[in-house]
Structure formats: structure tokens, C-alpha cells
């Protein structure tokens, strides 16, 4: 059993603020490029094409930023958190689609007014006769497809693996749009410094993607040679997978982090899914605990010992580094208990665990949690929805009943989306400052 760390609480990292400043500084530089290259704006056509140029420049810049946010750069991942980067990426994606649509409509409309032709005729002329614009049109179409499959109502109806695979189409979309920007963009044509700056931005992002998303995982796979050692049932529909390999300590995984796992067996090799560690990292093995909620997660119960595994990571900032006080509440729901179980074992100070589930038999890893609580003298509270006599609403009053000094604690929160939203509202009502609520979502 791993003893709790004695590390002191750390001050907030300045990295998120610095990243925001850099991103917005880059956007200001993009607007300055348009301003310096536009001596005047005359008439409705001029205003429309000018707005089209601005939205096009910002969309192109935002594409590079979106790729950078998901390049899995360790500095960003550890300081900001993978789930937070994913939320920024999703929000930025909506901006990119909006800007790209506005760019297309404004440019066509402005050019149509300037040449005194119809919108359909002008669209045909642009797509078929302007250099690389057919490529740009294909890239724009791919962006729209990605936007459609990422809409929440659609996203819920398709498997994670399918959505993730379709998302790779954005790489091709960005590649096609990049050449259109340089060939047709009035702000780049004949402007060598602007072209070099654009090339530098995109080449730097491409290099980070190639290194951290492809080269590093392959190098680690060859070095650590992970394989499935054992599959153990934990609760109805829940199994733990033990993985062994070489030099596992060199991975430097921390309690609370996760990997993206690719199991090299039939029907599973093509998908890399994120699963948290459910036990503190050990020099001889790693463990994940997964609930069957889809085809990929259900198939884990049938893995054979010896199956080779590729693991990307470790990722995430849901670790002791976020702690601001010496008192902590761990609030988990369902299989969201997995990263909290590792923190319950290792977090220093006074720790209370509240674990919510639908039924008593759904409380995975309960025996381990009870043993950990007894070993470190910590409190653990189990709350179930069924039977009704043992249920408890997820409200500020109910949480304060379990943890009277709730407002003085850091809170680590992990669970299904509905439970997480209710918990965030309850914690705000209970007076827990936002900066001391740390929650992790793996719904990427």
C-alpha cells in the first residue's frame, strides 16, 4: 500500500493565464496584419470582403490553436489538464466553424456585389477558377461534417470510437484550407513576412503533433512493452485490467492520471480509449477499472492475458498538484471512483470520500476503499439511490451533513455528467470556492 505523500499544497499555476495571453496576443497580431494591408474600405462590397478577410484570417489562426491544444504537450497537459484543454478545444471549434461559415458567405457576397453577378455564378467562379479554392471547399465541407458529429445530440448516438475516427478528418481539412489561405488570401499574396509567419506557426504545431501524438507513443511502446496480465471482475459489468511491462516507473504516472489504451486484439486495435488508473502506479503493474458502457469497454472483460497494449500517456492534471488546502473531499459517482481511489490512497492530510452509486452492488472497489479508510483513519460515505431508504439528494445541505467543514476543503469531483453538474451546483451553494473544486471529465 502506498503511503500518503507529505507534499505541501501548491499555489495555482500561472500557465493557464499565460496561454490565454499568448492566444489572444496572436489574434491581435492577425487583426494587425489585416489592418496594415487595408488602406481603405469603400462601399458595401468593400465592407463585406473586408469582413470576409478578417473572419478567414481568424479562422485560419484558430485552426492552428485548436490543433495545439490537443497536441498533448506535457507542459500544457500537466498545468491545465486534459479535460480543460478538451473544453477549450470544443469551444474553439464552435468559433472556428462560425468564423469559417461567415468567411465563406461574406466573401461570396462581397465578390458578387463587386463583379455584379449572382451569388451562384460567383460561387462557381471562385471554386473552379481560383487557385487551391477547390481544396479549400473540400476542407470546409470536412469541417462541417466534424461539427455535425460533434453536436451533443448526435454525439450521444454514435460510439466514441467512431466519433474519434471521424475527428481525424480535421487534419485533412486544415491541410487543405492552409494552401487556400496562402494562394488566395489578399493578406498573404506578395507579403513574404506574413507567409513566413504563417508557415512557422503551422510547421511548429505540426511538429508538436507529430512528436507528442505519434513519435512519443511509439517510442514508449517499444520501451515498455505493455501487456495484459490479468482481468478481474469487480462489480456487475465492471472489471479491473492489470497491465505489466518493462520499466514502468519511467512512465512517471501520478495518482489521478489516465492513459489512452489501445489493446492489440481483434476488434479493438484501431481504437485508443481513455481510462484512469484505479490503483496507485506500481513499478511492476498498472491497473484500470472499467464499466461496460459501450462495445469497447464491454470487450475488456474478454481480454486474454498476454494481449499486447499500446498506452499513450500519462495525461491529466487531476492530481495532488491541484490541492490548495490540507483538507480534501473526494466526491465520486459510478466508475468515476477510479481516479479518486488512487487519490484516496495517496493524498496527504485529512481526506473524506463520498461515493455515490445506483445500487449497493454497483459500489466497485468497496473492499479496497474500506481497507484504505481503516489504514489511514479516513472517513468514507456510501450513498446509493436504491433502496430508497438509503438514498440522499446531491444538495449542499446533504453534503454538509456528511462533511460539516465542506467549505474549508478542496474537492476532487469525478462522475457521470448529470451527477457532476448537480455536484457543482451543490458545492457552489455550500460555499466552496470555484478555485478549490477540481473535476475531471473524460467525455472528450
Amino acid at each position: 500500500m502506498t503511503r500518503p505523500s507529505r507534499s505541501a499544497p501548491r499555489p495555482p499555476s500561472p500557465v493557464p493565464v499565460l496561454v490565454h495571453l499568448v492566444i489572444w496576443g496572436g489574434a491581435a497580431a492577425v487583426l494587425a496584419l489585416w489592418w496594415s494591408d487595408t488602406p481603405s474600405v469603400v462601399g458595401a462590397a468593400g465592407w463585406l470582403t473586408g469582413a470576409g478577410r478578417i473572419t478567414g484570417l481568424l479562422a485560419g489562426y484558430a485552426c492552428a490553436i485548436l490543433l495545439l491544444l490537443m497536441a498533448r504537450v506535457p507542459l500544457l497537459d500537466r498545468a491545465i489538464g486534459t479535460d480543460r484543454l478538451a473544453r477549450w478545444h470544443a469551444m474553439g471549434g464552435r468559433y472556428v466553424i462560425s468564423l469559417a461559415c461567415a468567411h465563406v458567405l461574406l466573401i461570396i457576397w462581397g465578390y458578387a456585389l463587386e463583379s455584379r453577378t449572382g451569388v451562384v455564378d460567383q460561387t462557381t467562379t471562385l471554386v473552379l477558377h481560383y487557385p487551391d479554392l477547390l481544396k479549400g471547399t473540400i476542407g470546409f465541407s470536412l469541417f462541417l461534417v466534424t461539427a455535425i458529429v460533434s453536436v451533443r445530440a448526435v454525439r450521444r448516438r454514435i460510439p466514441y470510437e467512431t466519433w474519434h475516427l471521424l475527428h481525424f478528418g480535421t487534419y485533412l481539412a486544415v491541410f487543405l484550407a492552409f494552401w487556400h489561405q496562402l494562394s488566395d488570401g489578399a493578406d498573404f499574396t506578395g507579403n513574404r513576412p506574413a507567409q513566413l509567419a504563417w508557415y512557422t506557426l503551422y510547421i511548429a504545431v505540426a511538429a508538436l503533433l507529430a512528436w507528442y501524438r505519434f513519435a512519443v507513443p511509439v517510442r514508449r511502446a517499444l520501451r515498455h512493452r505493455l501487456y495484459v496480465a490479468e482481468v478481474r471482475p469487480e462489480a456487475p459489468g465492471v472489471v479491473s485490467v492489470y497491465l505489466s511491462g518493462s520499466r514502468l516507473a519511467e512512465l512517471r504516472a501520478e495518482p489521478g492520471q489516465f492513459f489512452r489504451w489501445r489493446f492489440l486484439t481483434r476488434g479493438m486495435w484501431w481504437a485508443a480509449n481513455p481510462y484512469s488508473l484505479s490503483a496507485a502506479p506500481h513499478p511492476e503493474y498498472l491497473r484500470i477499472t472499467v464499466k461496460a458502457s459501450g462495445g469497447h469497454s464491454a470487450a475488456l472483460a474478454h481480454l486474454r492475458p498476454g494481449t499486447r497494449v499500446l498506452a499513450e500517456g500519462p495525461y491529466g492534471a487531476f492530481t495532488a498538484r491541484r490541492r490548495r488546502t490540507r483538507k480534501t473531499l473526494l466526491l465520486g459517482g459510478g466508475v468515476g471512483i477510479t481516479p479518486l481511489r488512487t487519490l484516496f490512497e495517496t493524498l496527504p492530510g485529512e481526506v473524506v470520500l463520498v461515493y455515490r452509486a445506483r445500487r449497493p452492488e454497483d459500489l466497485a472497489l468497496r473492499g479496497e476503499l474500506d481497507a484504505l479508510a481503516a489504514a489511514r483513519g479516513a472517513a468514507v460515505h456510501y450513498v446509493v439511490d436504491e433502496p430508497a431508504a438509503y438514498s440522499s439528494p446531491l444538495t449542499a445541505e446533504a453534503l454538509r451533513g456528511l462533511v460539516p467543514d465542506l467549505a474549508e476543503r478542496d474537492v476532487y469531483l469525478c462522475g457521470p455528467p448529470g451527477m457532476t453538474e448537480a455536484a457543482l451546483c451543490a458545492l457552489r451553494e455550500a460555499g466552496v470556492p470555484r478555485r478549490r473544486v477540481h473535476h475531471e471529465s473524460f467525455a472528450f
Side-chain angles (χ1 to χ4, degrees):
M1 182 180 296
T2 303
R3 292 186 177 181
S5 166
R6 296 184 179 180
S7 60
R10 302 187 181 191
S13 169
V15 173
V17 175
L18 293 176
V19 170
H20 272 293
L21 290 175
V22 170
I23 290 174
W24 288 109
V30 168
L31 292 176
L33 172 62
W34 173 83
W35 181 267
S36 65
D37 200 46
T38 306
S40 63
V41 179
V42 180
W47 283 105
L48 289 170
T49 54
R53 285 167 54 198
I54 291 173
T55 52
L57 284 169
L58 290 174
Y61 169 72
C63 281
I65 298 302
L66 288 186
L67 295 179
L68 176 62
L69 291 178
M70 300 308 290
R72 301 172 190 167
V73 179
L75 173 63
L76 299 181
D77 185 81
R78 291 181 180 272
I80 299 174
T82 305
D83 65 319
R84 191 175 179 187
L85 290 172
R87 290 196 294 271
W88 289 3
H89 176 83
M91 179 180 63
R94 291 189 284 271
Y95 287 133
V96 167
I97 294 298
S98 300
L99 288 167
C101 289
H103 167 69
V104 170
L105 295 175
L106 290 168
I107 287 294
I108 292 174
W109 191 5
Y111 277 32
L113 285 180
E114 187 175 348
S115 60
R116 297 182 180 179
T117 59
V119 170
V120 175
D121 290 339
Q122 188 60 53
T123 301
T124 303
T125 300
L126 288 170
V127 172
L128 298 181
H129 299 290
Y130 276 58
D132 291 321
L133 201 51
L134 181 58
K135 295 178 183 177
T137 302
I138 297 173
F140 176 65
S141 301
L142 290 173
F143 275 126
L144 290 181
V145 170
T146 303
I148 291 171
V149 300
S150 297
V151 173
R152 184 173 298 180
V154 178
R155 172 71 183 86
R156 289 174 177 172
R157 288 171 170 78
I158 60 176
Y160 168 84
E161 296 82 12
T162 303
W163 171 84
H164 190 259
L165 187 63
L166 291 172
H167 228 64
F168 274 103
T170 56
Y171 289 124
L172 178 58
V174 171
F175 176 77
L176 294 171
F178 174 79
W179 297 111
H180 144 64
Q181 295 171 59
L182 293 180
S183 299
D184 301 305
D187 301 286
F188 294 108
T189 305
N191 189 339
R192 194 62 177 170
Q195 292 176 7
L196 290 175
W198 216 244
Y199 270 115
T200 300
L201 172 64
Y202 272 83
I203 290 174
V205 171
L208 290 172
L209 280 168
W211 179 251
Y212 287 113
R213 296 203 63 167
F214 299 100
V216 169
V218 170
R219 185 185 66 174
R220 287 181 174 173
L222 295 174
R223 183 167 182 79
H224 300 294
R225 300 185 180 278
L226 284 170
Y227 63 90
V228 174
E230 182 186 357
V231 178
R232 183 181 301 175
E234 299 286 1
V238 179
V239 298
S240 285
V241 181
Y242 289 79
L243 305 113
S244 190
S246 303
R247 307 180 182 92
L248 298 186
E250 294 179 7
L251 290 170
R252 297 182 180 178
E254 298 180 41
Q257 291 190 308
F258 70 97
F259 289 76
R260 283 181 168 87
W261 307 92
R262 188 185 303 272
F263 297 92
L264 303 183
T265 187
R266 185 176 181 181
M268 302 181 71
W269 63 268
W270 59 278
N273 283 34
Y275 299 122
S276 296
L277 296 176
S278 63
H282 190 277
E284 300 298 327
Y285 69 89
L286 301 174
R287 189 185 76 176
I288 58 175
T289 301
V290 182
K291 181 178 181 179
S293 57
H296 188 278
S297 54
L300 295 182
H302 307 290
L303 286 172
R304 295 181 178 180
T307 300
R308 290 291 180 180
V309 183
L310 299 182
E312 302 174 31
Y315 298 124
F318 194 63
T319 67
R321 296 171 184 266
R322 286 188 174 182
R323 189 170 54 103
R324 301 286 174 262
T325 67
R326 296 188 179 276
K327 292 184 178 182
T328 308
L329 166 64
L330 306 178
L331 179 56
V335 79
I337 192 63
T338 54
L340 298 182
R341 185 259 181 244
T342 65
L343 293 171
F344 193 45
E345 179 180 355
T346 58
L347 269 180
E350 183 184 326
V351 181
V352 175
L353 171 65
V354 176
Y355 182 11
R356 302 179 63 91
R358 185 165 170 254
R359 304 167 300 175
E361 56 265 35
D362 295 327
L363 293 167
L365 308 175
R366 183 171 183 173
E368 294 183 15
L369 296 173
D370 288 337
L372 288 170
R376 65 177 300 167
V380 56
H381 303 283
Y382 300 106
V383 181
V384 294
D385 296 328
E386 302 173 6
Y390 294 94
S391 65
S392 174
L394 188 47
T395 62
E397 183 179 359
L399 286 176
R400 279 195 295 258
L402 296 173
V403 190
D405 58 352
L406 174 60
E408 302 172 13
R409 293 176 177 265
D410 274 89
V411 179
Y412 284 77
L413 169 64
C414 189
M419 176 261 181
T420 300
E421 291 174 9
L424 289 172
C425 293
L427 292 169
R428 283 197 295 269
E429 186 179 342
V432 182
R434 183 185 298 269
R435 67 181 181 277
R436 287 201 269 112
V437 177
H438 321 297
H439 63 97
E440 190 89 277
S441 170
F442 305 126
F444 300 142

